[in-house]
Amino acid sequence: VQLVESGGGSVQPGGSLRLSCVASGDIFGRYCMGWFRQVPDREREGVAATYVGSKLAYYGDSVKGRFTISQDNAEKTVSLQMNRLQPEDTTMYYCAYHGGGCGSLWGSDGYFESWGQGTQVTVS
């Protein structure tokens, strides 16, 4: 599975950005798509995930109420609407794919088999 992200950029504090991720390749049935971000000196942090084909969505505590994940199953696209951005949200963001449900492991980067190249988000 190949993933291509888009939509990163620079914004002032309080602003918004929308990231998108298009998946292609051998994708069958429902699957989990997640967004992660790089945290200094740590593994990638789970930001949000969704079980594509369902209404299930998961969010990290630091983004609840500010970020919203959405999906277009027909287009195999998952988007992340990021509102009220703050300087601490500045980092690289990655899209990830797992060929199954999200479940309790959605926030673990080791759970996902495929990754995008990342897109930079800068808030300053």
Side-chain angles (χ1 to χ4, degrees):
V1 172
Q2 295 77 46
L3 305 173
V4 178
E5 301 113 330
S6 61
S10 297
V11 66
Q12 293 183 343
S16 299
L17 283 173
R18 185 178 181 87
L19 307 182
S20 291
C21 175
V22 180
S24 61
D26 293 335
I27 300 172
F28 306 99
R30 295 183 176 181
Y31 51 97
C32 181
M33 293 279 283
W35 285 97
F36 286 75
R37 62 187 182 186
Q38 191 68 51
V39 179
D41 301 323
R42 289 175 53 189
E43 295 178 345
R44 283 175 281 201
E45 174 189 51
V47 175
T50 185
Y51 187 27
V52 179
S54 77
K55 296 183 178 180
L56 294 174
Y58 308 81
Y59 295 94
D61 289 340
S62 61
V63 306
K64 282 180 181 176
R66 299 190 299 128
F67 291 11
T68 302
I69 192 168
S70 60
Q71 55 174 270
D72 184 333
N73 195 6
E75 298 295 328
K76 294 184 173 57
T77 299
V78 172
S79 298
L80 184 69
Q81 178 66 39
M82 305 185 295
N83 298 329
R84 304 202 321 263
L85 283 162
Q86 299 301 318
E88 53 265 34
D89 295 316
T90 295
T91 189
M92 286 288 287
Y93 285 71
Y94 298 89
C95 177
Y97 164 92
H98 170 70
C102 294
S104 60
L105 295 178
W106 75 267
S108 173
D109 61 357
Y111 188 63
F112 292 81
E113 298 94 66
S114 300
W115 292 83
Q117 79 286 358
T119 185
Q120 177 68 35
V121 169
T122 302
V123 185
S124 64

